[in-house]
Amino acid sequence: MSGTGEKDIYRETWIRYLGYANEVGESFRSLVPNSVVRASYTVATAYTLADTVDKSYKMYRKDGRPKSVLIETGDALIWQTLASIVIPGLIINRLCAASRYALTHAGVGCTARNWLSVGIGLASIPFIVHPIDNGTTLFMNETYRKWVKP
């Protein structure tokens, strides 16, 4: 929760899952056109930018100093880009590719292989959200947040 005691809708509610739209796209990569996968990244990017604007505006209202707002903007943008787009997208992409590879070598037919990899990708999303969020927070605490401490 944020320091004000109010719930952070972008990180503590179901809205957080909009940041994982690209993981759904990555899960379906073997079955849908690339334009659909790109569209899923557009949704995740819009979510990332919405959270960044929200955090920036709240800092502006709280402090108003350009430096504080810039630091908060950078923090939210970096955190969300890593936790919502880069890390989970890579994980799901590689997990689905590895599952297709293993299923190919197990002799599973193309249609079943593709659908099974989709299922594996989708099923993994709920299990990766909190570890990625927590890991990204730890990473940010040890890097950016130390470097830009006022």
Side-chain angles (χ1 to χ4, degrees):
M1 262 205 251
S2 65
T4 62
E6 71 182 62
K7 187 176 264 197
D8 183 342
I9 66 165
Y10 290 99
R11 299 191 191 177
E12 300 177 81
T13 69
W14 66 269
I15 292 172
R16 174 71 185 102
Y17 289 98
L18 289 175
Y20 284 82
N22 58 312
E23 283 68 345
V24 174
E26 286 294 347
S27 294
F28 279 94
R29 183 178 284 280
S30 63
L31 296 174
V32 300
N34 281 339
S35 60
V36 173
V37 178
R38 282 192 297 276
S40 72
Y41 274 88
T42 300
V43 172
T45 300
Y47 161 82
T48 294
L49 294 175
D51 183 51
T52 300
V53 169
D54 177 65
K55 301 299 179 293
S56 301
Y57 181 68
K58 286 178 179 173
M59 179 55 73
Y60 173 75
R61 282 193 348 227
K62 176 182 171 185
D63 183 307
R65 294 182 305 176
K67 181 179 178 183
S68 298
V69 174
L70 186 59
I71 289 170
E72 187 66 23
T73 300
D75 187 285
L77 185 60
I78 294 167
W79 191 93
Q80 283 292 4
T81 299
L82 291 172
S84 297
I85 300 171
V86 175
I87 297 169
L90 180 63
I91 289 171
I92 298 296
N93 178 284
R94 296 295 79 208
L95 180 62
C96 289
S99 67
R100 281 191 308 276
Y101 178 83
L103 291 166
T104 297
H105 290 283
V108 177
C110 184
T111 301
R113 179 176 61 238
N114 287 339
W115 278 105
L116 284 168
S117 73
V118 168
I120 291 167
L122 292 174
S124 69
I125 293 171
F127 297 102
I128 68 172
V129 173
H130 294 297
I132 290 172
D133 286 0
N134 294 338
T136 302
T137 297
L138 179 63
F139 174 76
M140 292 293 289
N141 288 345
E142 295 300 318
T143 58
Y144 181 84
R145 292 172 183 158
K146 281 186 177 178
W147 300 335
V148 298
K149 239 183 203 174

